[in-house]
Amino acid sequence: MDKLQIKGLCFSYGEEPILNNLNLTVEKGKPLVLLGKSGIGKTTLLNLILGFIKPNSGEISGIDETTRVSVMYQEDRLFPQISVYKNLKLVKKELNLNEAGKLLSELGLEKNILNKLPGELSGGMRRRIALARCLIFPAELVLMDEPFKGLDIESRKKCLGAVKKYIAERPALIISHDPHDAEAIGAETVRMEDIAENR
């Protein structure tokens, strides 16, 4: 896909409006970092794009049930009963150990953790494994919700570099609280307040 387009999107939980006349375009080669205060509807927007919930009105085009979407949630969502390597192979079956090790190195991780279970790793390590899994899935669209949450400065720097590399040829929408993330990956910054009318 070349473009995800959202026009006039409205959504409410019962009587409480969450999104009102939201308009947004995400294009291939032009990643967007979406900023906004907590509770303004950023994660709700991702769920609408993914079709987990339905809008009250408006249109989302460029994506359908056949579109391969790679999603990174605020929770790591790793499978605890299988190794790091097997978690990665779930999204890319042909991934070999050397490729996996190289990917981990790009994210500041040692190859020797590939055989460990997620529960044996620190929170920052698990976050980077979740990021690795998101980046290597051969998707047409990438959606990330606070991908760098909980990372120290050095780890964050490495992860930003990896994200910039791996999303270069795909439409990508990244939710963040930090405007510096956009600069680091060469993305445009968009604020929720600027793409939707006041509730």
Side-chain angles (χ1 to χ4, degrees):
M1 68 180 290
D2 293 321
K3 181 166 63 175
L4 171 72
Q5 192 153 28
I6 300 169
K7 293 181 179 179
L9 198 68
C10 297
F11 178 78
S12 60
Y13 286 113
E15 298 296 318
E16 182 184 0
I18 304 297
L19 300 174
N20 186 29
N21 196 30
L22 183 144
N23 298 280
L24 181 68
T25 302
V26 185
E27 298 181 73
K28 182 178 179 179
K30 297 180 180 179
L32 287 182
V33 169
L34 183 61
L35 302 171
K37 62 187 179 181
S38 295
I40 201 169
K42 302 186 299 297
T43 300
T44 298
L45 174 59
L46 288 197
N47 287 329
L48 285 160
I49 293 171
L50 292 166
F52 295 152
I53 51 178
K54 301 295 182 185
N56 300 119
S57 60
E59 178 184 358
I60 300 174
S61 59
I63 183 174
D64 59 30
E65 63 275 2
T66 67
T67 306
R68 295 189 309 276
V69 185
S70 187
V71 187
M72 184 173 178
Y73 298 95
Q74 290 191 33
E75 311 83 21
D76 301 329
R77 301 198 182 189
L78 300 173
F79 289 91
Q81 71 275 27
I82 60 175
S83 69
V84 166
Y85 181 44
K86 288 181 178 178
N87 265 281
L88 296 176
K89 281 178 69 71
L90 284 173
V91 301
K92 190 175 183 182
K93 291 187 179 2
E94 68 273 22
L95 183 73
N96 62 48
L97 281 168
N98 286 334
E99 290 173 327
K102 181 181 176 183
L103 174 62
L104 294 195
S105 178
E106 290 182 83
L107 299 172
L109 294 167
E110 298 291 333
K111 182 178 179 179
N112 62 11
I113 70 169
L114 283 169
N115 291 321
K116 292 183 179 292
L117 296 175
E120 299 176 81
L121 307 178
S122 69
M125 288 178 172
R126 290 195 299 272
R127 195 69 188 145
R128 284 176 279 172
I129 296 302
L131 177 58
R133 190 175 60 180
C134 176
L135 294 177
I136 62 169
F137 179 62
E140 299 165 82
L141 172 67
V142 179
L143 304 173
M144 296 180 172
D145 196 350
E146 300 288 355
F148 315 113
K149 183 179 69 173
L151 297 180
D152 59 54
I153 294 173
E154 189 59 35
S155 297
R156 192 183 189 97
K157 183 178 178 181
K158 285 183 177 292
C159 289
L160 284 162
V163 167
K164 182 177 182 179
K165 172 186 172 181
Y166 281 89
I167 68 171
E169 299 301 319
R170 300 180 281 183
L173 179 63
I174 302 166
I175 290 174
S176 176
H177 281 96
D178 191 341
H180 295 101
D181 290 346
E183 182 180 350
I185 61 176
E188 181 184 347
T189 299
V190 177
R191 295 187 177 275
M192 283 289 287
E193 296 88 343
D194 296 333
I195 60 173
E197 295 177 5
N198 292 332
R199 290 185 249 168

